[in-house]
Amino acid sequence: MKQPTFCGRELLLLSVIEAARAGDPLAVERVLRYYEGYMDKLCTRTLYDLDGSPRVRVDEYMKRRLQSRLIRAILNSPIE
């Protein structure tokens, strides 16, 4: 059977989502990797060096906060 896609990107399997909701650390890691590019885009900031030169970088602090919130949302979601 062919993997379902949305806008050309493969979707997460329902079994992975259910395993993550049950607390499987490998499944949670897979969900985090699935959303990594999106979180990187959300957390991209223009940071300035000591000499004032602008650098476009991922704000790692903000990314960790997003990852934490996603993990909490996964683990606190009701299992049907």
Side-chain angles (χ1 to χ4, degrees), residues 14-59:
L14 186 58
S15 60
V16 174
I17 296 169
E18 289 173 347
R21 288 173 59 195
D24 179 12
L26 294 176
V28 171
E29 178 65 30
R30 192 163 173 193
V31 172
L32 288 174
R33 276 189 279 121
Y34 182 80
Y35 287 108
E36 184 173 18
Y38 179 62
M39 285 190 273
D40 284 345
K41 186 169 180 86
L42 289 175
C43 298
T44 299
R45 303 281 183 256
T46 301
L47 305 174
Y48 295 91
D49 290 343
L50 294 175
D51 63 353
S53 301
R55 306 277 185 215
V56 177
R57 298 278 188 257
V58 173
D59 184 345

